Amino acid sequence: MSNELERFFTSIKYQYSTDSWLSANVLKVVLNKKEETFDVYINNPEVISYEEITKLFECAKKGINGEKKCTIKLSYDKVTTKNVLSYLKEIIKALVEKRPSLITLADNEVKLDDEIIILEASSKVEELEIKKEAKNIIKALLKYGLGEFEVTTELNEDLEQNIKEEIKESKQDDIIVKESVEVTEDSKV
């Protein structure tokens, strides 16, 4: 780890895992005079875990020495499909916490075809909701230094049909049969 990076981590009170950052270095620091913020560009040969980077971002939010706002711009020399899918899993998990209606997204298949991410949807409604969140997923991957991607969806018609059948069965179970009640002179209060 470079001395510059170590000083930066100390300034934002980031307790780092040395193993993750052994070959990392600060590429440059840019001062945005208008907004009075710093952009710190960090490079590492291999992708660092989602948890570690999330912890780094949380510390950076507090600013350098608790005063000067900063953002971190990450880049990696080598990003694998496994890295992207691992990050996607965590990003989807966070998305589901924010939007519980997308819960099936966490269990559905995610495919990666070059720079195209294909998320499996279990209904047309879910497909529309995923498309609404696509920009946020793309921004998150970019923020975490994994590169630019395109997000698209694929409707799993078998899952959609199963859901329709479950809803139909559920409605049948909910039907309440009303008994007819005869009102007579004796039963009036």
Side-chain angles (χ1 to χ4, degrees), residues 46-62:
E46 296 193 11
V47 176
I48 297 170
S49 76
Y50 178 87
E51 295 79 16
E52 193 75 24
I53 299 301
T54 301
K55 193 168 80 171
L56 173 65
F57 287 157
E58 288 300 314
C59 290
K61 281 182 186 178
K62 298 171 189 165

Side-chain angles (χ1 to χ4, degrees), residues 34-51:
K34 188 176 183 178
E35 297 178 18
E36 296 184 17
T37 62
F38 289 94
D39 290 335
V40 181
Y41 291 79
I42 300 173
N43 177 266
N44 196 55
E46 296 193 11
V47 176
I48 297 170
S49 76
Y50 178 87
E51 295 79 16

Side-chain angles (χ1 to χ4, degrees), residues 117-180:
I117 297 166
I118 305 164
L119 300 174
E120 184 179 65
S122 55
S123 71
K124 290 177 184 174
V125 173
E126 184 179 61
E127 187 174 33
L128 289 172
E129 293 300 311
I130 293 169
K131 286 179 180 178
K132 288 179 186 176
E133 292 294 335
K135 283 184 183 178
N136 293 332
I137 294 169
I138 293 167
K139 284 180 187 177
L141 288 168
L142 197 55
K143 175 184 172 183
Y144 281 95
L146 298 175
E148 292 186 42
F149 291 88
E150 182 182 326
V151 174
T152 187
T153 58
E154 183 177 85
L155 181 62
N156 184 325
E157 293 176 6
D158 291 337
L159 278 176
E160 183 182 35
Q161 189 60 37
N162 288 344
I163 290 171
K164 285 180 180 179
E165 288 173 12
E166 286 177 19
I167 291 171
K168 187 177 178 181
E169 288 174 14
S170 174
K171 284 182 179 179
Q172 288 175 349
D173 291 343
D174 292 341
I175 296 174
I176 300 172
V177 179
K178 293 184 179 181
E179 294 181 29
S180 60

